[in-house]
Amino acid sequence: VTKLGAFVRENERPGRRIAELAFDAVVRPRAATGLVLPRLEARARAAGASEALLARAAQLTETLGVRSSIATYRLLAAVASGNKSAMTPLLNKFKPDIPDQLMWDALELGGYDVEQVRHDDAADLVAFFEPEIRRGFVNDGFSQVFEWLLTNQRVPNESPVLRPLLEALVSSAVDLRQKTEAGDQPFASSTLHAVASDLIDPSEPARFFFSGASLLAAAYPDVARARFGNIEFATFRSVDRIVGDLPSEFTLVSRRGNHVVIEHSPTSAQATVVCFDKDGDRTSHGDGRYTRWHTPFDVVVHEFDLGTFPGPSDVDRYLDERYGQWRTPPFFYDAVLDAPNTTIDRSLDGLLFVYSKMRETFATGRRHYADEWAAIMRDRFGIEYSNFVPRSVPRKVLATPLTEREVDGRPIHLVIAAFDDVDAEFIGWLTEQKVDGSFLVAGVVGHRLDGDANERLALANSLALVDHATLIESATDLDEPIPGFVVTSSTTHPSVEMPATA
Amino acid sequence: MSTNPVTLINRSLRSPAARLASLELPAALAGQSNRIAATHGTESAEAYVRFFEELLDGSPLPTYADVDIVALLESDDQRDALAALIKRSIPSADSFDDLETMNAMLFRLARLDHDDAAVTEFVNAGMQHTLNERTGTFQSREKHFNYHDARDALLGCKRIFDAAGKRFFLDRGTLLGCVREGGFIASDYDIDVGIFADEITLDEVKALFAGTEFELTQDFEFKVGVASPTGVQIDFFLTTRERGYFLSKGFRSIHNWYFTPFELMEYPFLGERFLIPATYEKHLDENYGNWRDPAIFYDLSYNEPCVAYGRGPEAISYLSKRLARALRRGWRYYSVAAANALARSFDLDVTDRVPVEVAPTVAPISEPAWAPRPIIVLDEFQSYGPRHRRVIESALSLTTDVRLDIVAREDHDLADRLTVAGSIDRVTSVARAQLTGEMRLDIDALVADHPQAIVLARHLDTMLSSTDVDALIAAGCDVAFFDESTVALNIVDGRIVARTGEFID
């Protein structure tokens, strides 16, 4: 049970493993081998599976266990019966490198007229199998057929069918995440209306008014707000006054700092009331661990589709401050880390809050959050653990190839020099070469096997004026000093004699 | 929370007040549930009762982050009673989380602040506990090799290469383990070595191992792998010396490692001497970024700065699949990393769907509580050469705050020297070093910003007396001297030193 518990915690699909353990405990692999496998094999054979496919299915008993063979025979029968969604799981059984014969047989079993395309151009193959590939992308997030075409059939990078398919893969994943996040709407508009109607007195708009996700839902009902929080109202009154003066439809659930959670009895919905403090040129509320800051605002009555309710006068500014990019809600929004107006309090509670988040995310491997919380711990409390999260190094330290994104459309100016004596005069000359808006490439004269040349190359790269450095071994290198890029202009330092053409 | 079903049912059937009355609590803490329900809410009252039930029956406690019991108390008597109860319970606590909860509550009861030494110590102890648990778990434990098997495999490989008059060098995780740990890193599961393509081919590597106890396990275009008799995998990365960079490639060229060219040097390891890149600090900077602390997260595709993706369809497909998988699973880091990589390398841009940092417009910007400690490099800077570059670049891998102090006894060419030092990328500041009347370095001025080290050109060492050096070290500032033979700054026994080395052609 302990092992199973650990497995459930650590794995993404514990249900499947539980089923496997139950199978092993109850059915017994040996019994399955003698009784079940022959029947399933016969059924797959009758459905049209080739000898190669059947042999691979049988072979899986030795490598992955009898369950894999059983599943494969069933998938063969399913594919043969026209079940398109069974194709990817079937091909997964043949990973990682699927032999051509096996792939052709599987596709033929799935109803594809492989004789028609077997000898076609690789790009045509992609076009032919596009429905199968797209189905894999949408259903499974990948397509074994696509992988096989890329690696075994060598689909060229420039194939016109390639990119639309990859874009389809990415956009299907984006759509799926969008659906997942949108499915978690924390409250319905009707609930919000019911709660607000019982809490807010229209004659006293400043007593309670719409804020947070409630304001977003009321003002922009079409914006997905799943990650922007629960029902929220605000007030300029103190917590004690709120607690002591709740309308009869509400009960107090809990309070923390300037935040009070109440429950609306008729709907059982919970809402948070945040109590704003005014402080000169800003106003804020917090729960003792973090504070959300706003530009001071007046409360006015708005005519929302939901009804007539009070809220901050400049709704858009409030939402910009609270949520940042709320108009196109981003995935993975975190109510504290991603709220631009929120700071962690420099207090014991603030530190304990950050510490608990940092330790939890380090322990569970939630990388993005570990990085963020460690940075907050460092910057707010001076306790440094961010160095345990991998960090990159500046681009110019690296020898990686130049990219178009770095050049960013600027004209490339090549300066050819030895870079062996960088004094004030040389820096002056180099400065003259750095024309405004140009991308300065240092062409360092020397040979790749000469350690001194590589030292000078690194030296050139470490100059602030130089955007990129490359080695110039011979005059022929000047034909294409930076592979893939066009050099607009070049200058050679007077001291340099170019090496002869190799 | 207790997991005993009878206990759970019993608790659910009784009111918080009744449950609290059944507990043996000090008078100050008993009979509080109705007051708490009225002033702090029903959930708070339930949490209050549950906390004491679990504290008294030894069940795991709700964490201090979830429940704020201390805030529910209203008198010093109550706070003193709770502190006494917790102190009595701490010796019998058998879980780290419970100890944390109780200690955090004691801090709050004692009204300590965030910068109290006990609080900092608490955080450090908890993080050390977490790091110890986490280190080595980012790869599957099942794949890990043990030290003895790995050592035997690497020594066996070296014997075969030595006998053939061929050479290889330690690379990647194996180099990192050799340099940082003096062994193999805890999370490693194979041995990585590099070979130069102009010295030996992969076919020759295969031929070397043919008929030996090693078995060929990988045979790719740019890499072969052999396994020792105990199953330790050794990967040979073919390294080509290209114009301006060294290049090795992974499976199907999806990942390509571009390194600044390097020479080799001998380094003691496993009781023998192995070849490693002579500029190993820079090599590891490029390979792993902040390699000096054992990272608890690692991903080949996103955490090796020197890796560039191949231009073939396999690479874009690989990244697309990773993005799709991460989005499906709700993994934020991997979604963002893959989206950024696709946009940067293949112009396939969906980065607008992941959160971007929006600058705050209203939040008060307070001074950060932390700043990197600077390293100050001192020289005359009449010109800028390789020795400067090596020292400054390695200083920049130790801190982001590197300052250049120009030692100039006279004013006549100061502007030129400022020009030279000012031309160096990424340094924080360039200034004239302050000297005393005896033309020595002004120690008080140097330590004013609490540097972690001053690094002085060796020919200027007369500008520091031994008393000055002692004063700097006493102030927590290391002192190192560099010259033409200096390869890099390094940390030895926790102190920054200048490392010299000999290259092997």
Side-chain angles (χ1 to χ4, degrees):
Chain A
V1 170
T2 306
K3 280 183 179 176
L4 193 60
F7 190 88
V8 169
R9 281 195 301 278
E10 291 169 9
N11 282 268
E12 296 149 7
R13 298 171 67 187
R16 176 177 168 165
R17 180 62 180 151
I18 292 166
E20 289 171 357
L21 290 172
F23 176 92
D24 286 347
V26 178
V27 180
R28 297 284 181 193
R30 192 175 295 173
T33 310
L35 298 172
V36 182
L37 283 185
R39 290 178 54 199
L40 291 173
E41 184 190 15
R43 194 190 301 170
R45 189 187 301 278
S50 71
E51 289 303 321
L53 290 169
L54 294 170
R56 174 58 78 98
Q59 190 188 0
L60 289 174
T61 297
E62 291 171 18
T63 53
L64 294 174
V66 68
R67 285 191 305 268
S68 284
S69 288
I70 290 173
T72 307
Y73 286 130
R74 285 185 170 149
L75 287 166
L76 285 169
V79 166
S81 71
N83 181 352
K84 297 288 186 191
S85 60
M87 180 63 85
T88 299
L90 173 66
L91 296 177
N92 282 345
K93 296 290 179 189
F94 305 147
K95 286 194 303 185
D97 289 314
I98 304 176
D100 284 357
Q101 184 58 49
L102 224 50
M103 180 60 84
W104 287 121
D105 286 359
L107 290 169
E108 189 167 24
L109 186 67
Y112 290 97
D113 186 0
V114 298
E115 289 307 319
Q116 183 189 332
V117 293
R118 189 186 285 262
H119 305 295
D120 272 7
D121 176 76
D124 290 343
L125 285 174
V126 175
F128 184 79
F129 289 115
E130 185 175 335
E132 177 62 42
I133 293 169
R134 283 183 184 272
R135 187 178 306 109
F137 286 169
V138 171
N139 293 341
D140 309 295
F142 67 97
S143 160
Q144 287 292 356
V145 175
F146 186 61
E147 292 301 306
W148 170 74
L149 289 170
L150 286 182
T151 53
N152 290 35
Q153 305 301 310
R154 309 304 309 165
V155 177
N157 206 6
E158 63 277 11
S159 169
V161 293
L162 200 59
R163 197 170 181 91
L165 277 174
L166 288 165
E167 286 172 358
L169 168 60
V170 172
S171 60
S172 71
V174 168
D175 290 346
L176 189 71
R177 172 114 305 266
Q178 191 153 338
K179 280 182 197 155
T180 304
E181 299 213 351
D184 294 332
Q185 290 291 0
F187 57 91
S189 295
S190 55
T191 308
L192 174 61
H193 183 268
V195 177
S197 300
D198 284 341
L199 184 70
I200 293 174
D201 179 353
S203 64
E204 266 192 282
R207 190 172 172 192
F208 291 108
F209 56 91
F210 273 47
S211 66
S214 303
L215 183 64
L216 178 62
Y220 294 95
D222 295 334
V223 169
R225 57 174 196 281
R227 287 191 170 255
F228 289 154
N230 209 332
I231 297 175
E232 182 183 308
F233 303 102
T235 179
F236 286 113
R237 299 195 305 167
S238 70
V239 171
D240 287 338
R241 281 195 68 193
I242 299 298
V243 169
D245 192 21
L246 276 178
S248 60
E249 294 86 354
F250 293 89
T251 53
L252 178 66
V253 174
S254 63
R255 52 191 271 192
R256 192 162 203 158
N258 287 341
H259 292 180
V260 179
V261 178
I262 54 177
E263 184 168 309
H264 181 235
S265 305
T267 60
S268 298
Q270 290 198 347
T272 302
V273 178
V274 302
C275 303
F276 271 98
D277 274 336
K278 281 182 179 170
D279 176 17
D281 60 353
R282 59 185 195 251
T283 184
S284 66
H285 62 86
D287 72 349
R289 302 174 298 184
Y290 58 85
T291 302
R292 301 194 194 278
W293 305 87
H294 281 281
T295 306
F297 52 82
D298 295 326
V299 176
V300 301
V301 174
H302 297 278
E303 295 291 336
F304 297 129
D305 288 348
L306 189 72
T308 303
F309 290 109
S313 53
D314 188 339
V315 172
D316 285 7
R317 185 172 74 180
Y318 173 92
L319 294 174
D320 287 346
E321 290 177 354
R322 172 75 182 264
Y323 295 117
Q325 51 175 146
W326 56 272
R327 290 167 203 273
T328 311
F331 297 148
F332 309 117
Y333 181 86
D334 182 279
V336 174
L337 294 174
D338 294 316
N341 71 337
T342 302
T343 54
I344 299 295
D345 294 354
R346 251 184 208 154
S347 64
L348 178 64
D349 282 351
L351 179 136
L352 291 175
F353 176 60
V354 175
Y355 166 66
S356 73
K357 294 284 188 184
M358 182 172 76
R359 194 162 95 71
E360 179 206 339
T361 50
F362 268 58
T364 54
R366 294 170 67 211
R367 164 91 187 254
H368 171 84
Y369 301 97
D371 199 0
E372 293 280 316
W373 289 115
I376 291 174
M377 179 63 90
R378 180 193 64 204
D379 294 340
R380 295 297 283 173
F381 302 105
I383 301 175
E384 165 67 315
Y385 281 92
S386 66
N387 49 335
F388 287 92
V389 182
R391 306 228 167 275
S392 193
V393 292
R395 162 68 183 87
K396 279 180 65 184
V397 171
L398 303 170
T400 48
L402 192 62
T403 63
E404 287 176 4
R405 195 166 267 236
E406 289 171 74
V407 178
D408 196 23
R410 290 174 285 175
I412 293 176
H413 181 56
L414 177 70
V415 290
I416 301 164
F419 286 86
D420 57 353
D421 188 17
V422 177
D423 55 15
E425 185 183 348
F426 182 80
I427 295 296
W429 175 80
L430 202 58
T431 306
E432 289 170 13
Q433 307 304 316
K434 181 77 176 179
V435 182
D436 278 351
S438 68
F439 188 85
L440 192 73
V441 174
V444 179
V445 179
H447 192 271
R448 70 186 71 185
L449 297 181
D450 177 3
D452 173 63
N454 289 318
E455 280 280 2
R456 290 184 284 110
L457 183 74
L459 187 83
N461 232 340
S462 71
L463 294 171
L465 286 164
V466 172
D467 295 309
H468 182 72
T470 187
L471 212 55
I472 304 294
E473 290 184 324
S474 67
T476 52
D477 287 343
L478 295 176
D479 295 340
E480 195 180 22
I482 317 160
F485 290 87
V486 175
V487 170
T488 312
S489 56
S490 67
T491 310
T492 303
H493 191 266
S495 67
V496 167
E497 282 185 30
M498 275 304 299
T501 302
Chain B
M1 185 186 293
S2 173
T3 52
N4 184 331
V6 176
T7 305
L8 291 176
I9 292 168
N10 189 25
R11 286 177 185 170
S12 70
L13 294 175
R14 301 168 67 202
S15 71
R19 285 158 53 201
L20 194 64
S22 68
L23 299 174
E24 289 184 22
L25 283 179
L29 299 172
Q32 296 293 318
S33 59
N34 289 337
R35 175 189 66 80
I36 291 170
T39 56
H40 287 82
T42 50
E43 199 170 89
S44 299
E46 167 63 28
Y48 182 84
V49 175
R50 198 174 69 238
F51 173 79
F52 287 113
E53 286 173 338
E54 287 166 5
L55 183 72
L56 295 178
D57 80 2
S59 302
L61 297 173
T63 74
Y64 58 87
D66 296 333
V67 176
D68 191 3
I69 300 297
V70 176
L72 306 179
L73 307 180
E74 59 177 5
S75 72
D76 284 343
D77 281 352
Q78 291 174 340
R79 282 185 275 273
D80 290 345
L82 178 59
L85 194 59
I86 287 175
K87 283 174 184 167
R88 273 209 308 277
S89 302
I90 279 181
S92 58
D94 57 3
S95 105
F96 187 82
D97 289 342
D98 283 358
L99 276 173
E100 280 214 320
T101 296
M102 289 194 260
N103 276 310
M105 290 175 76
L106 288 178
F107 294 153
R108 302 200 63 230
L109 289 163
R111 300 202 164 126
L112 297 187
D113 207 350
H114 66 88
D115 53 359
D116 192 286
V119 177
T120 307
E121 192 181 323
F122 165 84
V123 170
N124 286 329
M127 287 310 295
Q128 206 52 57
H129 175 84
T130 304
L131 290 169
N132 288 344
E133 282 194 331
R134 180 76 188 165
T135 303
T137 61
F138 54 78
Q139 303 278 4
S140 162
R141 281 190 186 280
E142 292 169 13
K143 290 191 196 170
H144 292 181
F145 52 50
N146 70 52
Y147 171 86
H148 299 286
D149 290 347
R151 181 196 59 193
D152 292 348
L154 189 54
L155 291 176
C157 171
K158 180 171 164 50
R159 276 194 295 275
I160 290 171
F161 267 66
D162 286 349
K166 298 291 185 183
R167 61 182 194 164
F168 66 84
F169 55 91
L170 306 185
D171 209 359
R172 302 198 170 92
T174 307
L175 174 65
L176 177 62
C178 163
V179 169
R180 192 179 69 195
E181 323 268 336
F184 299 98
I185 53 179
S187 56
D188 220 343
Y189 55 89
D190 66 2
I191 291 173
D192 296 324
V193 301
I195 49 174
F196 286 126
D198 46 18
E199 295 181 2
I200 186 170
T201 65
L202 290 178
D203 282 341
E204 287 174 301
V205 172
K206 285 186 278 182
L208 283 181
F209 286 99
T212 71
E213 56 190 4
F214 287 85
E215 182 188 349
L216 182 70
T217 52
Q218 290 181 13
D219 187 5
F220 301 132
E221 196 177 352
F222 308 104
K223 168 187 166 189
V224 294
V226 297
S228 74
T230 54
V232 175
Q233 174 81 18
I234 304 178
D235 289 344
F236 291 85
F237 287 90
L238 192 68
T239 303
T240 55
R241 302 192 232 216
E242 306 289 340
R243 183 158 62 91
Y245 56 88
F246 286 1
L247 173 62
S248 58
K249 299 182 175 186
F251 181 56
R252 289 177 181 159
S253 295
I254 291 172
H255 299 102
N256 300 315
W257 286 260
Y258 289 82
F259 286 109
T260 297
F262 51 85
E263 310 289 323
L264 296 178
M265 64 176 276
E266 285 189 337
Y267 195 88
F269 187 50
L270 307 178
E272 301 235 4
R273 297 187 75 77
F274 283 83
L275 292 175
I276 67 169
T279 46
Y280 61 80
E281 295 94 342
K282 179 171 174 55
H283 192 80
L284 289 170
D285 284 349
E286 295 181 8
N287 204 159
Y288 295 111
N290 55 328
W291 55 275
R292 287 183 172 82
D293 291 307
I296 59 165
F297 302 97
Y298 169 75
D299 186 286
L300 161 64
S301 294
Y302 310 130
N303 301 140
E304 298 203 16
C306 67
V307 165
Y309 299 104
R311 303 306 303 170
E314 292 96 338
I316 187 170
S317 169
Y318 169 83
L319 280 172
S320 303
K321 271 192 304 182
R322 291 206 62 179
L323 172 63
R325 181 178 163 82
L327 283 171
R328 281 167 172 264
R329 299 282 167 87
W331 297 334
R332 178 163 176 174
Y333 172 79
Y334 294 104
S335 297
V336 174
N340 285 338
L342 279 170
R344 194 169 53 243
S345 302
F346 298 102
D347 207 23
L348 188 58
D349 196 346
V350 290
T351 51
D352 61 328
R353 299 315 309 275
V354 294
V356 296
E357 193 167 324
V358 178
T361 53
V362 290
I365 307 298
S366 54
E367 285 294 311
W370 179 90
R373 290 177 64 195
I375 293 177
I376 302 173
V377 179
L378 297 107
D379 198 358
E380 294 171 310
F381 288 104
Q382 285 158 320
S383 65
Y384 172 54
R387 67 191 176 114
H388 294 117
R389 200 271 306 164
R390 291 194 291 259
V391 165
I392 293 167
E393 202 164 285
S394 55
L396 281 162
S397 83
L398 297 172
T399 177
T400 53
D401 187 355
V402 174
R403 304 174 187 187
L404 306 184
D405 274 14
I406 298 169
V407 178
R409 294 180 176 85
E410 298 166 1
D411 293 339
H412 74 276
D413 61 349
L414 182 61
D416 283 353
R417 297 182 195 206
L418 286 167
T419 300
V420 169
S423 70
I424 303 165
D425 206 8
R426 296 198 289 139
V427 294
T428 309
S429 65
V430 174
R432 184 178 191 174
Q434 294 190 38
L435 305 179
T436 64
E438 297 85 39
M439 300 304 281
R440 291 221 167 131
L441 293 171
D442 184 336
I443 302 303
D444 291 339
L446 281 174
V447 298
D449 290 328
H450 197 40
Q452 50 180 307
I454 70 157
V455 187
L456 179 65
R458 186 168 293 285
H459 70 279
L460 298 174
D461 61 2
T462 55
M463 301 192 77
L464 275 181
S465 67
S466 59
T467 313
D468 293 337
V469 171
D470 290 344
L472 286 164
I473 291 172
C477 173
D478 297 331
V479 181
F481 299 96
F482 71 97
D483 56 25
E484 297 296 340
S485 68
T486 300
V487 178
L489 296 182
N490 206 346
I491 297 177
V492 176
D493 297 331
R495 300 182 66 167
I496 294 175
V497 298
R499 181 174 71 80
T500 59
E502 290 182 7
F503 300 166
I504 294 175
D505 289 330

